[in-house]
Amino acid sequence: MALEAYPSVPLFRYPYTQLTEAQIQAKLAPAAEAGPTSRSPLERDLAGTTLRIVTDGAGTLTWQFGEGNRVTFDGATGGYGALTLDHVTLITHVVPSSTRAWAIAWDRHNNLATVFELWWGGGPAPHTREINRAVWHGYVQGGDGDPPAERHAPTVRMEGRAYAWTEDTGLRTIEYYCSYTYTHWVELDRLKDNRGYSAPADYIQLTEDLYLFARVEAEFSGLLHMYLVDSNRLQSAGVRLGFNGADELEYYMFRGTAEWLGQNARFEKLGDFSAEPIPIENAKKGERRIYRPVATMDKMTPEEVNAVVAENTHVFDRPSPMAGNGTPPSGALATRSFAVEYDGGPRMEYRFVSADQLQWRKDGRGDWRQAKYNAWEVMPGAFIFGHLLQGEPNHDCHIVVADLDAGLATNFHGFLNTPYFANEAGAETLFGKIVGQGIPDPGNRRHQRTRDLLGRAFTWEYAPGLNSMHLYSTPNTTSWIIPNAETGHFGTEWSGTGDFVKIRDQLYFARWCEEACNGTLGTLLLNMRTMHDAGIGYHCGKNGLSLSAVGAPARHAGKFDVDRFFGPDAWRTRP
Amino acid sequence: MSETPISTDRRAFLKAGSLVAAPLAMAAPAAALAADDGSRAKLARLEDERAIEALQRKFVRHLNGAGDCSEFIAPSGSVELGEGLRAIAEDLRHEPSFALSEDGLTATARCACRVEREIAWTGDTTIERMARFEGLGRHRHQERAVLAMDFVKAREGWQIAHVRLVSGAAAT
């Protein structure tokens, strides 16, 4: 595959080069000498200044700024860049002949400072191209007064916000800050697939309205994207540092302006503003919890999938942790018979012989096959049911929402043997009509894709201690965020392909695919009138193939106004 | 409080051997009871009620202490206390209810309580994996429940025939 700076495939599919430290140092050398570029004028008023920053944890660090953009740090002189947002200056430079760099946020009013120590190689990141960071808080030494007791600090105050940024580069990014340790961003220009991605982030509060934000695009390019945020003026000043998909160094500073997109609810206990991440025992410098799902997921061949399916298939036969607060299955389909005719898809005939057994036949061919199913009537007359299609080569499942009052059905057709990992579920969305006694003929009407969920976030309380939040961040992305059940802090976040169908007013059928991340196809039928869902998970791993229940009460965390950023075909995805 | 979850599988309660711990109101001959003015029968029922209450308390006390509760369970008895039980505490805001059968040979009790459970997320669902990744692979929580017990009077005295915890909406 030819290298692409901003890949045309999903980032989780792109084979990023494993750069070596030597390659990185060589690529950094010109930037260490010249400093960052910038469309906006960089500042030069630091000439003649010596900045001695006393940090909590990294000692006293000294930068001497010379004429032009020269800075000397630790005996090495190179180029730096600086931009000031209101009264906070962001300074950055790469240390010559090294794989190290620094970024400093200096509050010129109170002399508090936060220093990001940056490096490639040597860990804790497992990929050398992924930038490491350690965050040091402190103050600029000067004068005879007592050193300040205050410090900048991690914050939850940005959690729940979202902005649409436009940089002076012209590049536009939606950034959803749904967590206190992660972020979710959508590149609107450099990436073409309208997808959102999730990455670890730092949120540092500088003043009541100024923040320092930094994401590391871990598991992807490994780039650092850092900026000061003025939340009242909706402005930023930042730096981007690292290697894109073409292994080109990006090192530039920027100014940006934002549109405020909304504010979702936070779920920490009222009065709890704590923001220290859950500690890691014996943590290395800069170590934090970075979710690396492709490393931990089962990765199986088609032969291994066939073997495990033959030996270990579970269909609604054991308790599901994702349905501890679910509603019981419905037996109301028992004894009913109907067919679903999918546009461009199969004609599925069904005989529901009991509350959990059905018979199906595809396209009128062959014998009827028996399958276990579960169904939930989420709104009167509107059911979600799912079953495996035993004998199909890709171990397919049909997860169907059937509106018997409207004669309409939609199927999230799941299958295995996708090109990347055979046990990873793929999905397609099929629209159709139901043909059966007493069921109205909808004619050409079909369920439709919807943007009613776009920009919304819901929490899901699956079982005591097992909760998540969904953010439907783009027309083809579902993101999920995991909270600390004790404190309500939302932390690790990830995302995958989503699709969203309106069944009725306030009744939506949604799915997410955990690509390169455990491989599950998750589905849910959300009733916003009862604020509860019922859904089905389809998963294959070394422990077998399973269809299992999903169900939880929901809370509506909020809605961001993002519809205008996505074109009419933005739901389309590439694999 | 014990740091290990209370073993609630039926086998743990049904160790062979000992049975009765509750004081036994000796079954008096029916003719003798009928011969008096009824006060002996009333006394016997009162003693039965006290025995059952004592048995229930002792059962809960043993459970919270991770003690062996098998001595209180009838040989054919069943125990359904759910996963990860760590402690049961009677909810004193609610009066427990007891009902002794007419023949004095069986009884039921319902007692509102607070239950503490600890669940370990050991599965391979993504949400469990992420919970473990966050260092949140175990979760301890409290819930309201009703401790519903059926008792049977055996030759050796009162025993628990069936005990279960009814959680959530079903508990109200």
Side-chain angles (χ1 to χ4, degrees):
Chain A
M1 182 174 193
L3 294 183
E4 297 176 280
Y6 285 83
S8 54
V9 297
L11 299 186
F12 50 78
R13 301 297 193 202
Y14 186 73
Y16 286 99
T17 311
Q18 294 296 320
L19 295 171
T20 65
E21 275 190 66
Q23 288 173 311
I24 288 171
Q25 185 170 328
K27 288 172 184 284
L28 287 172
E33 174 58 27
T37 62
S38 176
R39 293 278 176 90
S40 298
L42 294 172
E43 293 162 10
R44 296 284 180 259
D45 71 333
L46 290 171
T49 303
T50 295
L51 214 52
R52 290 173 56 82
I53 300 181
V54 181
T55 68
D56 302 331
T60 299
L61 305 165
T62 303
W63 286 269
Q64 292 174 294
F65 296 93
E67 292 301 319
N69 74 337
R70 312 310 290 165
V71 62
T72 300
F73 176 82
D74 206 15
T77 299
Y80 76 93
L83 289 174
T84 298
L85 193 66
D86 198 57
H87 61 279
V88 178
T89 300
L90 181 67
I91 304 162
T92 173
H93 73 107
V94 173
V95 178
S97 304
S98 80
T99 55
R100 297 163 59 216
W102 296 87
I104 305 157
W106 171 30
D107 185 327
R108 298 194 188 213
H109 282 181
N110 60 16
N111 270 337
L112 296 182
T114 292
V115 177
F116 271 61
E117 182 178 356
L118 305 165
W119 70 97
W120 291 264
H127 315 293
T128 306
R129 66 175 302 134
E130 181 181 309
I131 200 165
N132 294 286
R133 104 287 176 253
V135 186
W136 310 112
H137 302 295
Y139 61 92
V140 174
Q141 199 175 47
D144 298 327
D146 293 334
E150 299 80 15
R151 293 290 185 271
H152 298 152
T155 183
V156 292
R157 292 283 303 280
M158 279 186 74
E159 189 183 333
R161 298 181 190 179
Y163 298 126
W165 289 106
T166 302
E167 294 175 5
D168 54 12
T169 56
L171 298 169
R172 299 168 304 145
T173 305
I174 297 172
E175 191 115 31
Y176 298 97
Y177 315 96
C178 290
S179 153
Y180 79 120
T181 56
Y182 259 72
T183 183
H184 183 79
W185 84 103
V186 185
E187 290 242 12
L188 295 172
D189 298 304
R190 288 182 286 207
L191 297 174
K192 307 297 184 192
D193 211 15
N194 299 292
R195 283 181 186 272
Y197 296 96
S198 304
D202 290 292
Y203 298 90
I204 312 293
Q205 184 165 11
L206 308 181
T207 70
E208 169 57 23
D209 57 0
L210 294 173
Y211 298 84
L212 178 61
F213 166 82
R215 73 167 181 259
V216 170
E217 297 173 12
E219 291 297 276
F220 308 128
S221 66
L223 273 152
L224 169 79
H225 197 81
M226 168 191 281
Y227 46 89
L228 298 167
V229 178
D230 185 328
S231 55
N232 274 321
R233 296 176 182 84
L234 297 176
Q235 295 173 345
S236 69
V239 58
R240 187 166 175 83
L241 174 58
F243 302 93
N244 62 29
D247 301 333
E248 301 157 342
L249 176 68
E250 293 192 11
Y251 187 32
Y252 64 86
M253 299 194 77
F254 57 86
R255 289 188 182 276
T257 56
E259 288 180 62
W260 183 87
L261 298 176
Q263 171 70 54
N264 277 357
R266 291 196 290 112
F267 293 92
E268 291 87 4
K269 195 184 295 181
L270 296 176
D272 180 0
F273 298 102
S274 63
E276 290 295 339
I278 299 169
I280 300 173
E281 205 171 335
N282 301 318
K284 298 174 186 164
K285 185 171 79 170
E287 187 174 359
R288 57 178 161 172
R289 293 177 198 273
I290 297 181
Y291 189 49
R292 302 188 188 278
V294 78
T296 55
M297 75 174 283
D298 292 338
K299 293 173 272 287
M300 299 165 68
T301 64
E303 294 73 27
E304 290 171 326
V305 166
N306 289 341
V308 80
V309 170
E311 291 172 7
N312 207 354
T313 292
H314 295 275
V315 180
F316 304 119
D317 63 353
R318 52 191 181 186
S320 166
M322 289 188 73
N325 292 327
T327 51
S330 164
L333 291 179
T335 73
R336 298 204 64 153
S337 299
F338 54 75
V340 185
E341 297 177 355
Y342 294 108
D343 303 339
R347 181 176 198 273
M348 293 294 297
E349 294 173 86
Y350 287 109
R351 297 171 181 160
F352 293 87
V353 296
S354 72
D356 66 358
Q357 293 289 325
L358 60 73
Q359 294 174 337
W360 62 271
R361 191 166 64 165
K362 189 175 168 186
D363 294 326
R365 292 196 301 265
D367 295 333
W368 288 85
R369 289 173 179 268
Q370 186 99 0
K372 183 166 186 181
Y373 81 100
N374 268 184
W376 290 265
E377 188 172 10
V378 175
M379 201 178 263
F383 293 84
I384 179 171
F385 69 92
H387 64 96
L388 292 179
L389 280 70
Q390 192 181 11
E392 296 286 299
N394 296 322
H395 314 290
D396 303 38
C397 74
H398 281 187
I399 300 172
V400 181
V401 167
D403 185 341
L404 301 184
D405 293 351
L408 296 170
T410 297
N411 179 357
F412 288 150
H413 166 213
F415 48 88
L416 303 181
N417 293 328
T418 49
Y420 298 93
F421 311 105
N423 58 307
E424 181 186 273
E428 64 172 347
T429 303
L430 299 172
F431 298 98
K433 69 174 186 177
I434 308 171
V435 178
Q437 192 173 18
I439 297 172
D441 182 353
N444 293 327
R445 277 195 309 119
R446 295 291 182 269
H447 292 146
Q448 298 290 318
R449 285 195 167 81
T450 183
R451 292 194 172 186
D452 289 3
L453 296 183
L454 178 60
R456 288 188 196 272
F458 294 91
T459 64
W460 300 106
E461 293 163 68
Y462 297 113
L466 206 59
N467 312 300
S468 80
M469 180 189 288
H470 279 178
L471 167 68
Y472 306 116
S473 62
T474 86
N476 66 33
T477 308
T478 297
S479 181
W480 54 93
I481 313 118
I482 304 301
N484 182 327
E486 302 289 339
T487 68
H489 288 70
F490 276 79
T492 305
E493 180 169 11
W494 206 246
S495 40
T497 299
D499 204 1
F500 313 96
V501 177
K502 180 172 181 174
I503 305 301
R504 297 178 181 173
D505 288 345
Q506 292 88 48
L507 185 66
Y508 303 100
F509 192 23
R511 68 170 158 94
W512 67 97
C513 285
E514 299 175 355
E515 299 117 327
C517 166
N518 212 21
T520 303
L521 165 64
T523 69
L524 61 87
L525 180 59
L526 162 61
N527 183 341
M528 283 187 68
R529 295 181 185 171
T530 61
M531 291 301 280
H532 208 294
D533 74 342
I536 295 168
Y538 171 65
H539 173 78
C540 184
K542 289 180 177 167
N543 290 332
L545 172 67
S546 64
L547 273 188
S548 54
V550 173
R555 301 187 203 184
H556 191 215
K559 183 179 190 315
F560 297 113
D561 175 19
V562 293
D563 194 10
R564 63 190 182 280
F565 298 105
F566 301 102
D569 289 331
W571 60 271
R572 291 184 190 279
T573 56
R574 287 182 286 271
Chain B
M1 184 177 295
S2 167
E3 282 305 305
T4 52
I6 296 164
S7 176
T8 56
D9 63 287
R10 186 168 176 273
R11 194 173 299 162
F13 286 89
L14 299 182
K15 288 180 184 167
S18 58
L19 280 171
V20 179
L24 173 64
M26 293 302 293
L33 290 174
D36 73 2
D37 59 0
S39 57
R40 288 183 66 190
K42 285 179 186 170
L43 180 62
R45 290 183 73 85
L46 199 59
E47 286 177 340
D48 280 337
E49 286 172 7
R50 286 183 178 164
I52 292 164
E53 280 185 67
L55 175 57
Q56 184 192 34
R57 289 203 184 96
K58 197 175 275 188
F59 173 78
V60 170
R61 202 160 55 239
H62 272 61
L63 207 59
N64 287 333
D68 179 4
C69 298
S70 62
E71 61 184 301
F72 310 127
I73 310 295
S76 59
S78 64
V79 177
E80 301 171 51
L81 298 178
E83 188 185 355
L85 181 67
R86 284 196 165 263
I88 299 177
E90 185 178 345
D91 187 342
L92 297 174
R93 296 172 303 173
H94 300 276
E95 198 66 36
S97 66
F98 293 93
L100 189 61
S101 64
E102 274 299 310
D103 63 7
L105 296 177
T106 61
T108 61
R110 286 173 66 85
C111 170
C113 54
R114 290 182 180 276
V115 172
E116 187 173 282
R117 297 187 189 277
E118 183 172 287
I119 308 295
W121 303 119
T122 57
D124 60 1
T125 64
T126 301
I127 191 168
E128 288 172 278
R129 286 169 181 249
M130 291 178 82
R132 290 197 295 270
F133 168 77
E134 282 269 24
L136 303 168
R138 308 183 77 85
H139 178 70
R140 193 178 285 206
H141 68 278
Q142 288 196 341
E143 61 190 37
R144 288 183 184 170
V146 167
L147 183 65
M149 304 176 83
D150 297 333
F151 301 90
V152 60
K153 193 175 190 178
R155 201 164 55 84
E156 300 89 343
W158 284 99
Q159 299 168 359
I160 296 169
H162 182 205
V163 55
R164 67 191 177 116
L165 276 167
V166 184
S167 298
T172 58

